[in-house]
Amino acid sequence: MAPRSSRGIAPALLCGLSLFLGFPGLVWVQISVPPQSSPHTEPHPCHTCRGLVDSFNKGLERTIRDNFGGGNTAWEEEKLSKYKDSETRLVEVLEGVCSKSDFECHRLLELSEELVESWWFHKQQEAPDLFQWLCSDSLKLCCPSGTFGPACLPCPGGAERPCGGYGRCEGEGTRGGSGHCDCQAGYGGEACGQCGLGYFEAERNASHLVCSACFGPCARCSGPEESHCLQCKKGWALHHLKCVDIDECGTERASCGADQFCVNTEGSYECRDCAKACLGCMGAGPGRCKKCSPGYQQVGSKCLDVDECETAVCPGENQQCENTEGSYRCVCADGYKQMEGICVKEQIPESAGFFSEMTEDELVVLQQMFFGVIICALATLAAKGDLVFTAIFIGAVAAMTGYWLSERSDRVLEGFIKGR
């Protein structure tokens, strides 16, 4: 490969240097936002115990076909003990009962480990249900299904069908809770054995109840039709087995503010603000005012804005009046601006040049960039071997160097004098 000519290297370096001096650097800042932690609620101890037992039973299923791993299973079962009921299997199962992040499970296992060992070696035959023996009988954290509270009392509706099957018994299966029935939509009563407000019995037998919705405004009804209402919801009145809306705005039931008016709605009412022109009103708009607000006057049946600017209301010199809704304001006339509370004539600025708003440092940088581009162009032409452009290039570099050194020497001398 032929050696590269060095004639183009110097001009390229000079171009790069001259352009580099004209541009500021950039700084990138990365801001990291810490992750937000979600609130944590601890489970009921009974639920933790149930999860522990479920995980224990899964561990038993996972190890049911395992052995001691010695290779001679028949000899190990005869001479040592059966792996099925061995301490080795118990340890293997307990090691995988709780996940690493389940602190409640680990805490409960630490408290009940001796009980689990006792059940494993001595109680399995007489109490095969580990959940019942550990969580209910020994630790007394849980109750049988359908019961609740410290004494494991039956839920309303009985333990066999708590809340009639149409609700949830609070605290069911635990030693806590009130036993109150949280009924499904449409059902009510202590044990969810009745239809709630707005529903009627569509079907009932010894074991089941079907509740269907009444017609809209009916609180109690005998059927789904509008004429089947027996009692109405609030805001409605019963009339010939139908619920009719009460107009609260025509009675003393409505309670609105002095600057509000009443609007009747189905089963209720709304209070809405009067128009700005009104001091009290009977409806929407400036035509329903009881009295007109200051800055307004009654014209016919409406309260309309008064134009205060028709009279001389702005005493200041060079001011003019601007009418606003219900009032006015005084502003400086065209060609004037407010300064220290008075209106003074604006000075029309002279036409500015392109570089008039640039700082001295910005002009210096722009000047350096301009000369840099010129030198780059001359260097490119001089690199081609043209003697004329080479002479011009050398002269330009010498002139710029002399100019730069003269300015630098002036600054150094000035600093030296000031320093002394």
Side-chain angles (χ1 to χ4, degrees), residues 199-375:
Y199 290 82
F200 69 96
E201 291 186 7
E203 186 179 339
R204 178 191 281 273
N205 56 31
S207 59
H208 293 282
L209 170 65
V210 178
C211 296
S212 298
C214 298
F215 184 76
C218 300
R220 304 199 74 84
C221 63
S222 59
E225 301 297 331
E226 181 182 6
S227 58
H228 291 166
C229 293
L230 302 175
Q231 181 184 346
C232 297
K233 295 178 182 177
K234 184 179 179 180
W236 302 81
L238 188 64
H239 181 71
H240 297 302
L241 297 180
K242 293 184 179 181
C243 290
V244 182
D245 176 48
I246 297 173
D247 185 2
E248 292 86 355
C249 298
T251 66
E252 297 182 354
R253 299 188 182 189
S255 178
C256 294
D259 291 327
Q260 293 181 320
F261 64 96
C262 179
V263 177
N264 187 55
T265 60
E266 284 195 354
S268 186
Y269 68 95
E270 294 178 355
C271 292
R272 300 178 183 175
D273 293 334
C274 297
K276 186 179 179 181
C278 301
L279 280 178
C281 63
M282 298 172 290
R288 303 298 305 275
C289 299
K290 294 179 180 179
K291 289 184 178 181
C292 295
S293 299
Y296 295 84
Q297 62 182 353
Q298 188 164 359
V299 179
S301 61
K302 294 184 177 181
C303 289
L304 301 180
D305 175 50
V306 175
D307 187 358
E308 294 86 354
C309 296
E310 292 181 353
T311 60
V313 292
C314 293
E317 188 178 0
N318 300 318
Q319 284 187 334
Q320 65 183 24
C321 178
E322 242 183 42
N323 188 51
T324 61
E325 188 72 19
S327 185
Y328 69 96
R329 62 171 172 260
C330 295
V331 298
C332 293
D334 292 341
Y336 292 84
K337 65 179 180 179
Q338 191 168 15
M339 183 178 295
E340 297 181 356
I342 60 175
C343 293
V344 298
K345 193 172 183 62
E346 288 183 325
Q347 299 294 330
I348 301 176
E350 297 180 358
S351 58
F354 180 75
F355 300 104
S356 60
E357 295 183 359
M358 296 183 68
T359 64
E360 185 178 351
D361 290 339
E362 290 173 339
L363 286 172
V364 171
V365 172
L366 187 62
Q367 185 181 29
Q368 290 177 351
M369 291 173 61
F370 174 75
F371 281 118
V373 172
I374 296 299
I375 291 175

Side-chain angles (χ1 to χ4, degrees), residues 24-346:
L26 296 177
V27 179
W28 294 91
V29 179
Q30 183 175 0
I31 301 175
S32 60
V33 180
Q36 297 181 351
S37 57
S38 58
H40 174 70
T41 55
E42 294 185 358
H44 191 279
C46 176
H47 300 153
T48 302
C49 192
R50 182 182 293 276
L52 188 150
V53 172
D54 290 343
S55 182
F56 186 89
N57 290 332
K58 290 179 181 178
L60 293 180
E61 294 177 3
R62 187 178 63 252
T63 59
I64 195 169
R65 296 186 180 276
D66 292 351
N67 54 47
F68 289 103
N72 193 343
T73 307
W75 180 85
E76 289 167 349
E77 290 181 352
E78 179 182 355
K79 300 297 182 181
L80 299 176
S81 64
K82 290 187 177 181
Y83 174 80
K84 178 182 176 183
D85 301 320
S86 67
E87 183 177 1
T88 303
R89 186 185 183 195
L90 174 63
V91 172
E92 290 179 1
V93 172
L94 289 179
E95 285 178 350
V97 163
C98 300
S99 64
K100 293 182 179 180
S101 60
D102 194 344
F103 301 107
E104 295 301 319
C105 178
H106 282 286
R107 184 167 60 182
L108 182 61
L109 180 60
E110 185 178 353
L111 294 174
S112 59
E113 191 167 1
E114 292 184 2
L115 288 173
V116 174
E117 291 177 358
S118 175
W119 175 84
W120 179 259
F121 294 114
H122 308 293
K123 302 291 184 180
Q124 282 196 68
Q125 300 302 322
E126 58 183 276
D129 189 346
L130 177 59
F131 173 77
Q132 177 67 32
W133 184 86
L134 178 65
C135 302
S136 297
D137 300 340
S138 301
L139 297 177
K140 298 191 182 303
L141 298 176
C142 302
C143 287
S145 178
T147 62
F148 74 97
C152 293
L153 299 175
C155 290
E160 295 295 326
R161 201 171 181 217
C163 301
Y166 300 108
R168 183 183 63 84
C169 176
E170 185 183 352
E172 180 188 0
T174 73
R175 298 285 174 142
S178 64
H180 173 76
C181 284
D182 183 12
C183 301
Q184 299 173 7
Y187 296 85
E190 182 182 1
C192 305
Q194 303 172 6
C195 291
L197 287 177
Y199 290 82
F200 69 96
E201 291 186 7
E203 186 179 339
R204 178 191 281 273
N205 56 31
S207 59
H208 293 282
L209 170 65
V210 178
C211 296
S212 298
C214 298
F215 184 76
C218 300
R220 304 199 74 84
C221 63
S222 59
E225 301 297 331
E226 181 182 6
S227 58
H228 291 166
C229 293
L230 302 175
Q231 181 184 346
C232 297
K233 295 178 182 177
K234 184 179 179 180
W236 302 81
L238 188 64
H239 181 71
H240 297 302
L241 297 180
K242 293 184 179 181
C243 290
V244 182
D245 176 48
I246 297 173
D247 185 2
E248 292 86 355
C249 298
T251 66
E252 297 182 354
R253 299 188 182 189
S255 178
C256 294
D259 291 327
Q260 293 181 320
F261 64 96
C262 179
V263 177
N264 187 55
T265 60
E266 284 195 354
S268 186
Y269 68 95
E270 294 178 355
C271 292
R272 300 178 183 175
D273 293 334
C274 297
K276 186 179 179 181
C278 301
L279 280 178
C281 63
M282 298 172 290
R288 303 298 305 275
C289 299
K290 294 179 180 179
K291 289 184 178 181
C292 295
S293 299
Y296 295 84
Q297 62 182 353
Q298 188 164 359
V299 179
S301 61
K302 294 184 177 181
C303 289
L304 301 180
D305 175 50
V306 175
D307 187 358
E308 294 86 354
C309 296
E310 292 181 353
T311 60
V313 292
C314 293
E317 188 178 0
N318 300 318
Q319 284 187 334
Q320 65 183 24
C321 178
E322 242 183 42
N323 188 51
T324 61
E325 188 72 19
S327 185
Y328 69 96
R329 62 171 172 260
C330 295
V331 298
C332 293
D334 292 341
Y336 292 84
K337 65 179 180 179
Q338 191 168 15
M339 183 178 295
E340 297 181 356
I342 60 175
C343 293
V344 298
K345 193 172 183 62
E346 288 183 325

Side-chain angles (χ1 to χ4, degrees), residues 374-391:
I374 296 299
I375 291 175
C376 285
L378 291 174
T380 303
L381 295 172
K384 296 180 178 180
D386 193 316
L387 295 177
V388 176
F389 286 111
T390 301

